[in-house]
Amino acid sequence: MDNGLNDDDPGGARECSYGWCAASRRAGEAEPVAGADRPGFLRAGLRRRAFMGRLAALLHGIVALAAGAPVIAFMLDPQRRRSRGATAAPFIRVASLDALPSGRPVRVPVFAPRRDSFIQYPRARIGEVWLLRGGVANRSAGRGGDPAGQGGTGADGNDPGGNGADGATRNATGADGPPLVRAWQTLCPHLGCGIDYAPLRRQFACPCHTSAFAPDGSRLFGPSPRDMDALDVRITNAEGRPWVEVQYRQFRTGVADRVVV
Ligand code: FES
């Protein structure tokens, strides 16, 4: 029966809720609020429970975010490392020029800031380099992994004029032509063992599979697929004395070409 109230339960058959039903509506009674039929302290309990539920959901969200952020950062980190690796390696001060003997290779550690996962080390040992001051003629052009034959001359464009930003940098090439200081990565291009120097034979020698290199880093024999990896060098003046700085990089092992990793 149409009662003009657009009633969806005209017969009043549906069960009433909170004591209110279609008949009550027809009688003009206001629709009751949930819990309104309960005592005041029970209604307050309902509101408190709803508030606590929302607060718990918010706290869960915050905890989930805090727990998930490191995981997301870890997953994205290789991508960030790749983009960082694409930028040029900085020159790192490794030794005082005055402390280097002439004509004898010296192995020196390289220290630099390093980030390990989420820990930042202001000064960590990141590797070693062989340094040789004078005494060795420049390598012939086009050899192995240093096609320009200019390893250690700083002539790769990083300091083309021999003058760094502080105006105190000069090319690591001696006035008579041969490099004043040359530097090589100590890791063997074959499989990455540490290369030693045998002073009696005047050779660099890898103890793992007996690759041998001349004092200028060129490959003599053994399974190494290329020469020792030459690093760019520059000399800077600071604190009243000259310093040797090296552009420290590591390279892929087991391949003939030099590929920075
Ligand atoms: S790692 Fe040096 S020769 Fe194999």
Side-chain angles (χ1 to χ4, degrees):
M1 180 180 67
D2 185 6
N3 55 14
L5 292 173
N6 197 22
D7 193 351
D8 60 348
D9 185 20
R14 198 169 57 201
E15 194 174 320
C16 297
S17 61
Y18 306 109
W20 189 87
C21 60
S24 306
R25 178 146 42 109
R26 277 194 294 275
E29 294 174 14
E31 186 171 356
V33 178
D37 57 335
R38 303 185 181 192
F41 70 93
L42 280 180
R43 287 203 303 276
L46 280 175
R47 283 197 297 273
R48 195 162 46 244
R49 205 173 303 152
F51 170 75
M52 294 303 285
R54 285 186 191 132
L55 185 64
L58 180 68
L59 289 177
H60 274 124
I62 292 172
V63 170
L65 256 180
V71 176
I72 294 169
F74 178 79
M75 287 164 62
L76 294 178
D77 198 46
Q79 184 61 39
R80 285 166 45 218
R81 273 202 298 269
R82 243 194 311 280
S83 54
R84 278 201 299 270
T87 62
F91 279 89
I92 300 171
R93 183 184 295 181
V94 292
S96 162
L97 179 62
D98 298 336
L100 289 182
S102 281
R104 178 164 59 86
V106 178
R107 179 161 38 194
V108 298
V110 180
F111 293 93
R114 193 181 73 190
R115 185 178 176 82
D116 234 1
S117 296
F118 303 100
I119 303 173
Q120 177 77 40
Y121 299 96
R123 190 170 186 269
R125 187 179 179 128
I126 60 170
E128 293 179 325
V129 293
W130 279 109
L131 296 179
L132 177 62
R133 180 177 183 178
V136 177
N138 214 348
R139 283 189 293 174
S140 57
R143 290 202 61 125
D146 187 14
Q150 291 175 324
T153 64
D156 63 350
N158 291 302
D159 183 22
N163 290 303
D166 60 359
T169 305
R170 58 188 163 86
N171 200 299
T173 303
D176 55 351
L180 182 60
V181 177
R182 304 188 69 176
W184 297 271
Q185 173 59 258
T186 58
L187 300 178
C188 180
H190 180 221
L191 291 178
C193 288
I195 297 174
D196 295 328
Y197 182 70
L200 293 182
R201 286 186 283 146
R202 282 184 53 80
Q203 285 179 2
F204 289 104
C206 179
C208 289
H209 312 100
T210 65
S211 283
F213 307 87
D216 66 352
S218 57
R219 182 168 57 103
L220 294 175
F221 56 83
S224 175
R226 60 178 188 264
D227 295 347
M228 288 173 66
D229 293 314
L231 302 170
D232 290 318
V233 182
R234 71 182 184 187
I235 308 296
T236 58
N237 287 317
E239 300 155 18
R241 54 184 170 149
W243 296 90
V244 179
E245 293 186 352
V246 170
Q247 197 175 31
Y248 183 80
R249 290 181 295 188
Q250 293 187 3
F251 303 88
R252 184 172 298 166
T253 58
V255 294
D257 294 328
R258 290 197 342 157
V259 179
V260 177
V261 294

